[in-house]
Amino acid sequence: MAPRRPDPPDVLLALPPDAPLDEVAQAARHCTNCPLYRNATMTVFGEGPAPAPLMLVGEQPGDKEDLQGHPFVGPAGRVLDRALADAGVDRGAAYVTNAVKHFKWKPAGKVRLHQKPSAGEVGACRPWLVAEIERVDPRVLVVMGATAAQSLLGPSFRVTRHRGEWVDHGLDEVAPGARVTATIHPSAVLRSDDRDAAYASLVDDLRFAATALAS
Ligand code: URA
């Protein structure tokens, strides 16, 4: 039996079903659906045009994103920006968000060390991601890394096996007509022993995603 999905956040349920994206984003600032809000500076919601032809989903805000309140503005964001540019994609035309909207971290001396969100935390945040997808209505949805894949494609999906191809996604109710593809998370480039190869493969996957935007 599939595990039961956590209930949607109360502050999302309180909105009318057709609430616009900016109202959804405002409501997300008050989300307490999992414990992560307690140690985060603020909710980091997605940004970009809605509707948008392209939507990119990462894991969760990092240290810089948590302090500034915007997705992908730190080191991983710089990798993403460069990779999008090299793939011929305008970030300004894409909607960029994360599977989890609060930074999960643990203290390590003076730094805040990133912690992977649990399946429960990913599930608790999923209704926000679904609400974004419904309003952005992308033609192409790019899932970046294992956490975003876990949220949207299920825990058995393997990014390394299925990256750079169209995925049979089962998200038809959420994203009718969207084509879905997966790639590595931009921070995986920074952690790789062979950064050049990892970066080139990220660009290749983004270029592949962009092929469906050209047609
Ligand atoms: N990593 C992510 O997954 N998202 C961000 O916004 C920043 C780093």
Side-chain angles (χ1 to χ4, degrees), residues 13-126:
L13 285 174
L15 291 176
D18 59 349
L21 189 59
D22 58 335
E23 281 180 28
V24 177
Q26 282 295 323
R29 294 167 64 174
H30 308 287
C31 185
T32 57
N33 212 32
C34 81
L36 294 186
Y37 74 96
R38 294 202 185 108
N39 292 328
T41 308
M42 62 184 109
T43 301
V44 180
F45 209 69
E47 290 182 352
L54 175 66
M55 180 163 173
L56 302 156
V57 184
E59 182 192 69
Q60 61 164 342
D63 182 73
K64 296 281 182 299
E65 290 79 11
D66 171 74
L67 296 172
Q68 296 180 32
H70 304 289
F72 282 102
V73 290
R78 283 192 288 281
V79 173
L80 178 62
D81 285 351
R82 190 157 72 89
L84 285 170
D86 284 346
V89 176
D90 173 13
R91 172 167 172 173
Y95 186 87
V96 179
T97 193
N98 286 300
V100 170
K101 313 297 190 218
H102 284 118
F103 179 35
K104 182 175 183 180
W105 59 278
K106 70 172 184 192
K110 288 189 179 159
V111 297
R112 301 190 298 169
L113 266 195
H114 163 276
Q115 297 281 280
K116 194 174 158 52
S118 69
E121 290 152 356
V122 173
C125 218
R126 190 176 187 274

